Amino acid sequence: MARHARYDRQTALAKAVALFWERGYHGSSMKQIEQALDMRPGSIYATFGSKDGLFSEALAAYAEQGSQELKTYLEPAESIIDGLEAYLRGIAQTGTQTQAKPSRACMIVKTLLESSNTHPALAEQANRILANIQQALCEALETAKARGELLASTDCHRLARLLQAQIVAIRSMAERDLAPDELSDLGADVASILESYRVRH
Amino acid sequence: MARHARYDRQTALAKAVALFWERGYHGSSMKQIEQALDMRPGSIYATFGSKDGLFSEALAAYAEQGSQELKTYLEPAESIIDGLEAYLRGIAQTGTQTQAKPSRACMIVKTLLESSNTHPALAEQANRILANIQQALCEALETAKARGELLASTDCHRLARLLQAQIVAIRSMAERDLAPDELSDLGADVASILESYRVRH
DNA sequence: ACTGTTATTGAGTGATCACTCAAGTTATAA
DNA sequence: TTATAACTTGAGTGATCACTCAATAACAGT
């Protein structure tokens, strides 16, 4: 019995992700948000409540899409470890492509580093997301271990932490102005770390 | 033939490092800078030119102090590789201590991620610093190789890049709210990566 | 066509942003 | 002691910050 919303929430959110990922929380002004979403302040506040609320939803959306990307590497792979190594090389390769994404670094890490001493609520959210990702990696590793891909002595929680550190490392180093082959070498070197945890045939 | 400066430049700079390291560029306002340095705006602008200028000098001072810290690990060590591994474990250990430093993450990486799409000049400076550190690591590795600590097949530039990625990783992960032993386990796991490049006895 | 409901608009809010500069203060040189 | 140069002060600058709300527009049901 009333007017339709002119804006699709998911579309607006995707645009917000692009802006915030590129410029960060403090680096994105409401003026820029209005322009990016093609929405007037009233509509933005009616839909998302506040700049904080919009950022928080954007970060959650980013995390969801990142977790889907990891799945696309793990599901088709015969070996989980192969899949993880392909993922590591893949994100190094992606960092190579100029302007393919809003930013080469991970938005979650950017948020964690930017907000840990300025915006506790956002830092907490970034922390939770990273803990969830580590848990997902851990479960993949547990499965790999059960399948006999990993050494029986492997501490999967610990390896998941190491693995997450490597993902963070690649994506942060990708923000440096390295040559494409330097970055893919790094991807290969990082991927090879997993080899020492692998059962040899 | 005139008045002395009331403020010591180095002391003021150290306070600026503490503030910017903690809160980042966009997260630190001139009001907070005035308070942290106990200087009025006129004096700050007379001494450092602008907020940008102050940040830039603070970042350079931070980098210098960081490079000194690395030296304290490398110089007393009999083996360079031992020294590097101790450094990696050391920064993981430091991240454990609550509130020991303004921030657990590296100010250079925080700056790179924060400013890459909002403040090109700062991003460029962070890039240059990271390139210099990588070069220093590379030289240490070359020496280690000449001493027979590293496999002759080692590509030192490439290993230096991997090593820098590990430093970035540990210090970024330190910003997560991990338990002290989780972080030191990560330090140990990261240090052990170097073992596969080492000459066995 | 009319009414009720909801969405959109954009000028405007006070607060805070980085920064300036005329006036005042403190030292040294003559 | 006096003149001059160097440094500090802090109220004030216009711009921009995140955000509000009364007015308007566009739909659904009758």
Side-chain angles (χ1 to χ4, degrees):
Chain A
M1 42 161 127
R3 188 175 176 179
H4 310 156
R6 223 195 80 204
Y7 309 109
D8 176 58
R9 196 187 173 82
Q10 293 308 314
T11 307
L13 220 42
K15 291 174 181 171
V17 168
L19 180 68
F20 283 133
W21 184 6
E22 184 175 338
R23 307 184 52 88
Y25 178 82
H26 293 294
S28 307
S29 72
M30 282 306 300
K31 277 265 138 65
Q32 294 169 322
I33 294 169
E34 289 165 32
Q35 194 157 22
L37 307 201
D38 188 27
M39 288 172 76
R40 263 37 67 197
S43 297
I44 296 173
Y45 282 87
T47 311
F48 300 104
S50 63
K51 184 187 175 185
D52 285 31
L54 175 58
F55 189 94
S56 174
E57 286 199 43
L59 186 60
Y62 172 90
E64 176 56 30
Q65 111 189 17
S67 128
Q68 292 304 323
E69 192 191 343
L70 176 58
K71 275 188 193 160
T72 67
Y73 278 93
L74 290 186
E75 281 175 355
E78 273 189 43
S79 145
I80 287 175
I81 303 304
D82 284 350
L84 287 171
E85 290 186 7
Y87 177 68
L88 292 170
R89 283 190 300 265
I91 57 179
Q93 204 65 36
T94 303
T96 281
Q97 294 145 18
T98 326
Q99 299 301 74
K101 303 237 176 131
S103 171
R104 295 189 274 254
C106 169
M107 181 178 171
I108 304 160
V109 175
K110 287 182 79 165
T111 301
L112 180 69
L113 298 195
E114 182 186 2
S115 66
S116 59
N117 296 303
T118 56
H119 206 313
L122 289 184
E124 209 173 291
Q125 187 183 352
N127 250 306
R128 267 197 310 273
I129 291 171
L130 288 172
N132 288 343
I133 294 171
Q134 188 187 316
Q135 184 58 33
L137 291 171
C138 182
E139 283 162 19
L141 291 171
E142 293 281 11
T143 305
K145 189 163 139 186
R147 288 193 200 163
E149 289 186 47
L150 282 177
L151 297 172
S153 60
T154 306
D155 178 339
C156 290
H157 274 95
R158 193 166 158 169
L159 182 53
R161 201 152 52 229
L162 178 63
L163 197 51
Q164 180 167 70
Q166 301 310 313
I167 297 167
V168 168
I170 291 177
R171 302 196 62 181
S172 296
M173 290 288 280
E175 201 73 59
R176 283 189 56 189
D177 54 357
L178 296 174
D181 62 300
E182 292 179 317
L183 203 52
S184 49
D185 280 356
L186 178 62
D189 290 345
V190 161
S192 81
I193 294 170
L194 274 178
E195 290 300 318
S196 42
Y197 294 87
R198 201 172 200 161
V199 170
R200 307 280 175 181
H201 298 292
Chain B
M1 39 159 130
R3 186 178 176 180
H4 310 155
R6 223 196 80 202
Y7 310 109
D8 176 57
R9 195 184 173 83
Q10 294 309 314
T11 307
L13 219 42
K15 290 175 182 172
V17 168
L19 180 68
F20 283 133
W21 185 6
E22 184 175 338
R23 305 184 53 88
Y25 178 82
H26 293 293
S28 306
S29 72
M30 282 306 300
K31 277 267 138 62
Q32 295 170 322
I33 293 170
E34 290 165 31
Q35 194 157 22
L37 308 199
D38 188 26
M39 288 171 75
R40 261 38 64 200
S43 298
I44 296 173
Y45 282 87
T47 311
F48 300 105
S50 63
K51 184 188 175 183
D52 285 30
L54 175 58
F55 189 95
S56 175
E57 287 200 42
L59 187 60
Y62 172 91
E64 176 56 31
Q65 112 189 17
S67 127
Q68 293 304 322
E69 192 192 342
L70 176 58
K71 275 188 191 159
T72 66
Y73 277 94
L74 290 186
E75 280 174 356
E78 274 190 43
S79 147
I80 288 174
I81 305 303
D82 284 350
L84 288 171
E85 290 187 7
Y87 176 69
L88 292 170
R89 283 191 301 266
I91 56 179
Q93 205 65 35
T94 303
T96 283
Q97 294 145 19
T98 326
Q99 298 301 74
K101 303 238 176 128
S103 170
R104 294 189 276 254
C106 169
M107 181 177 170
I108 304 160
V109 174
K110 287 182 78 165
T111 301
L112 180 69
L113 298 196
E114 182 187 2
S115 65
S116 59
N117 296 303
T118 57
H119 206 313
L122 288 183
E124 209 173 292
Q125 186 182 354
N127 250 307
R128 268 197 310 272
I129 293 172
L130 288 173
N132 289 342
I133 294 171
Q134 188 187 316
Q135 186 56 33
L137 290 172
C138 183
E139 283 162 19
L141 291 172
E142 293 282 12
T143 306
K145 189 163 141 185
R147 290 193 199 162
E149 289 186 49
L150 281 178
L151 297 172
S153 59
T154 306
D155 178 339
C156 290
H157 274 94
R158 194 166 158 168
L159 182 53
R161 202 153 51 229
L162 178 63
L163 198 51
Q164 181 167 69
Q166 300 310 313
I167 297 166
V168 168
I170 291 177
R171 302 195 63 180
S172 296
M173 290 289 281
E175 202 72 59
R176 283 189 56 189
D177 54 357
L178 296 175
D181 62 301
E182 290 179 318
L183 204 52
S184 49
D185 280 355
L186 177 63
D189 290 344
V190 161
S192 81
I193 294 170
L194 274 178
E195 290 301 318
S196 42
Y197 295 86
R198 202 172 198 158
V199 170
R200 307 281 175 179
H201 298 291

